[in-house]
Amino acid sequence: MNDHPTPDTHPPHPLHPLLARAAAAAARVADGVPAGHPLDGPTPCADFDTRALVNHWVLYTSHGLEHRARRTELPKALVDHDFTADPGWPAAYAAQLDRAVAAWADPAPWAGDVDLGGSPAPAEGVARMLIAELVLHGWDVARATGGRIGIDEELAQLVLEVVGENAELYRQYGGFAAPVAVPDGAPALDRALAASGRDPRWNA
């Protein structure tokens, strides 16, 4: 007889491995930003220069990702913080991504709703959109700084699916621009970018 029962553990949500891969891809993009790269240059997001884009990306896809899992508010000090002014911000971003991915490792955060500023939304849907944001804004940062984002086909297909589900709503609120035409048979990531209003051929 076993006097030491095995702790009650639950398998992670099926999307958790894709979240982890999206976070790893984002961390690689951040690590690839050249030291001293100008932060006032253009990005695929017309409303953001590079500094604003990186700050938005770091805030919502790492700190925001963890706070969504924990159902806590983002502190104002984080919302107002210029992450790009911190020495070694890519390493800090990678470490925060690890904490955020760990917060979603238990199945519990994927259940129920997340309060989005007084508007509850299903947690799984929020997590799916955050996976897409990791990739889409990761692509934005990579292109704005002369890099590339590398993701696998399964993750690209998920991003395409999530963008398709949310594009029209996001366009109503200015989150996505008008869709961009891409050739028939374009890769899934290119189709996801185009559906979100990004030109896959964009370069700084």
Side-chain angles (χ1 to χ4, degrees):
M1 179 177 177
N2 184 1
D3 293 328
H4 303 284
T6 303
D8 184 21
T9 57
H10 301 280
H13 189 279
L15 290 179
H16 187 260
L18 282 91
L19 172 62
R21 300 206 300 270
R28 290 192 298 270
V29 168
D31 187 57
V33 174
H37 186 88
L39 298 178
D40 57 354
T43 75
C45 300
D47 294 338
F48 289 157
D49 64 8
T50 305
R51 177 180 286 102
L53 172 61
V54 169
N55 281 325
H56 177 88
W57 183 50
V58 171
L59 177 66
Y60 289 106
T61 66
S62 64
H63 296 283
L65 182 62
E66 180 180 9
H67 280 271
R68 295 302 189 204
R70 303 192 187 286
R71 309 300 200 265
T72 52
E73 292 291 325
L74 274 168
K76 188 175 187 302
L78 280 177
V79 175
D80 295 338
H81 188 68
D82 180 3
F83 297 99
T84 66
D86 298 334
W89 70 262
Y93 177 52
Q96 178 57 37
L97 282 170
D98 286 345
R99 288 188 286 271
V101 170
W104 287 92
D106 189 279
W110 298 81
D113 289 341
V114 172
D115 183 5
L116 300 177
S119 177
E124 182 174 326
V126 171
R128 285 164 59 86
M129 197 61 223
L130 285 166
I131 292 171
E133 289 282 300
L134 279 161
V135 173
L136 295 174
H137 280 319
W139 180 87
D140 293 334
V141 173
R143 282 299 169 93
T145 58
R148 293 290 184 271
I149 189 169
I151 62 170
D152 60 77
E153 184 62 18
E154 183 185 16
L155 181 53
Q157 288 288 347
L158 175 64
V159 174
L160 176 60
E161 182 179 303
V162 173
V163 169
E165 293 167 354
N166 294 276
E168 291 311 314
L169 176 63
Y170 267 55
R171 267 189 269 281
Q172 290 178 26
Y173 294 97
F176 286 167
V180 175
V182 291
D184 292 341
L189 179 57
D190 283 5
R191 285 182 281 144
L193 293 165
S196 74
R198 293 162 167 85
D199 184 347
R201 298 157 296 188
W202 191 96
N203 280 292

